[in-house]
Amino acid sequence: MPLEPIPLNDGNKIPSIAYGTGSKMKFHDITQYIEQAIETGFSHIDTAVFYKTEKFVGRAIKESGLARSELFVTTKYFGEVPVQKSVRESLKNLGLHYLDLYLIHQPRIIPNLYSVILRLTVYCDTDYIVGLRSIGVSNVVDVQQLENLIKFSRIKPAVNQIRLHPYNYHDMKPVMDACAKHNIVVEAYSSLSPITTYPGGPVDVPVKAAAQRIGATPTQVIFLWVKAKGAVIVTTTTTKAHMEEYLAVADLSSLTKEEVIAIDTAGAQGPPSDIVTKLRATNTKEKILVALVVMMFGVYGLSMFGRMCQ
């Protein structure tokens, strides 16, 4: 049973989980992984001009044989060429007549931002024959910037895609609250950072406890946490087993209010330091070597301090 789609403020709906083509996939031919994702059950594919993966997404969509209406495709404008030209190029690269969602990738670096958004409205077609169904932004984490976008733009963004995980939730909460106030859906990428980037931190404890209660993996618990925040999951992997694991979140029980609060509270403590994280990731021999180096520097430091005190 798939995750329920989330309504957007423009009347459209967005699937609750997306297969992303950024991260380590950027600049590579990833056709086989996109085909595998679609075959496994992903209906929402997220790409971007900057990723240089649009042509591969288009190839995979064509090979899937699915009707256009069965897929939700997102791409992003990076500002290297005029936006009208970029839209046309993206549609050509993807082999599509319309895009379900078009995001401004980094609004902060786009000259004449409000003018760009105004031009995008030309491509909004109520019949979806050509152009864009929904318009949004990515990486808008400053509340005032979001408020200005809403104030001066003709169309209110339907989506704001941001980096979101338990360790940065405290920092992201103000902009998430602003999005909620304006009925803007948040999309969350890099949500698995507590597992992939900051293992061994305080978030591990409540995540493990929730995983044991509902019979899930820590990865699935993080995605359930994202779901509890009302956000769309944007994730990626190259293995079918992980794809199936991600989609299986739809069949799991929701986290309790107490479990969500426990993860929030642990995340507010911050991730483990880079040194601790890297040390945990090393093997036993490397750990011993690091310990010896630290001891040598410690002895040397004490020796120098003793000479200075003589």
Side-chain angles (χ1 to χ4, degrees):
M1 181 174 148
L3 290 164
E4 287 294 318
I6 298 174
L8 298 176
N9 59 26
D10 57 11
N12 295 314
K13 292 183 179 181
I14 185 170
S16 297
I17 186 167
Y19 183 77
T21 62
S23 189
K24 294 180 181 180
M25 292 192 172
K26 294 194 293 284
F27 321 128
H28 297 291
D29 184 342
I30 55 170
T31 307
Q32 62 175 320
Y33 302 126
I34 304 163
E35 289 177 344
Q36 187 171 245
I38 293 172
E39 289 171 3
T40 306
F42 279 90
S43 63
H44 181 178
I45 308 298
D46 182 283
T47 183
V49 171
F50 178 72
Y51 301 162
K52 307 298 183 187
T53 54
E54 287 180 334
K55 288 184 178 180
F56 309 123
V57 170
R59 187 182 304 163
I61 289 173
K62 184 178 181 181
E63 291 297 322
S64 75
L66 293 177
R68 177 65 184 90
S69 59
E70 295 182 72
L71 293 170
F72 187 103
V73 182
T74 297
T75 194
K76 309 177 192 76
Y77 172 64
F78 199 64
E80 296 175 312
V81 299
V83 68
Q84 298 99 316
K85 181 179 180 181
S86 189
V87 169
R88 290 194 297 268
E89 288 179 349
S90 289
L91 288 169
K92 181 179 179 182
N93 288 337
L94 291 160
L96 303 175
H97 294 298
Y98 70 88
L99 294 164
D100 297 279
L101 179 61
Y102 194 73
L103 304 180
I104 299 175
H105 206 156
Q106 294 284 357
R108 190 167 295 182
I109 66 172
I110 303 294
N112 304 314
L113 176 61
Y114 307 131
S115 177
V116 166
I117 295 176
L118 184 61
R119 290 191 182 100
L120 286 177
T121 63
V122 174
Y123 288 91
C124 288
D125 191 312
T126 55
D127 293 325
Y128 314 138
I129 296 172
V130 62
L132 315 174
R133 293 184 69 171
S134 298
I135 295 172
V137 292
S138 181
N139 300 304
V140 175
V141 297
D142 180 80
V143 173
Q144 192 55 56
Q145 184 187 22
L146 182 66
E147 294 290 353
N148 288 341
L149 271 170
I150 294 167
K151 181 178 179 180
F152 297 110
S153 301
R154 181 174 167 184
I155 289 184
K156 182 189 294 185
V159 163
N160 183 16
Q161 186 179 117
I162 60 174
R163 183 187 303 273
L164 177 66
H165 52 78
Y167 286 124
N168 79 343
Y169 172 64
H170 179 75
D171 294 329
M172 294 298 106
K173 192 174 185 306
V175 77
M176 291 177 70
D177 288 344
C179 286
K181 182 179 76 172
H182 294 289
N183 199 22
I184 297 171
V185 170
V186 170
E187 286 191 294
Y189 68 87
S190 295
S191 297
L192 295 180
S193 291
I195 295 172
T196 60
T197 309
Y198 308 113
V203 164
D204 287 15
V205 176
V207 165
K208 183 178 179 181
Q212 290 177 339
R213 182 186 70 81
I214 61 178
T217 65
T219 292
Q220 290 172 327
V221 170
I222 294 292
F223 285 155
L224 287 172
W225 176 85
V226 174
K227 181 185 174 186
K229 298 302 179 185
V232 172
I233 302 162
V234 181
T235 188
T236 193
T237 180
T238 58
T239 65
K240 184 175 181 178
H242 282 148
M243 292 176 188
E244 292 172 343
E245 176 189 12
Y246 299 168
L247 292 173
V249 168
D251 300 320
L252 296 172
S253 301
S254 298
L255 297 181
T256 65
K257 182 180 178 180
E258 292 74 19
E259 286 169 335
V260 174
I261 291 173
I263 293 172
D264 292 349
T265 303
Q269 297 177 42
S273 68
D274 288 343
I275 292 176
V276 172
T277 301
K278 289 176 181 176
L279 187 59
R280 284 179 176 143
T282 58
N283 59 39
T284 303
K285 290 183 179 179
E286 290 172 330
K287 288 178 180 177
I288 293 173
L289 180 60
V290 170
L292 288 172
V293 171
V294 170
M295 288 174 61
M296 289 174 60
F297 274 102
V299 171
Y300 177 75
L302 288 171
S303 174
M304 292 298 294
F305 180 75
R307 291 180 184 178
M308 291 171 63
C309 292
Q310 288 178 352

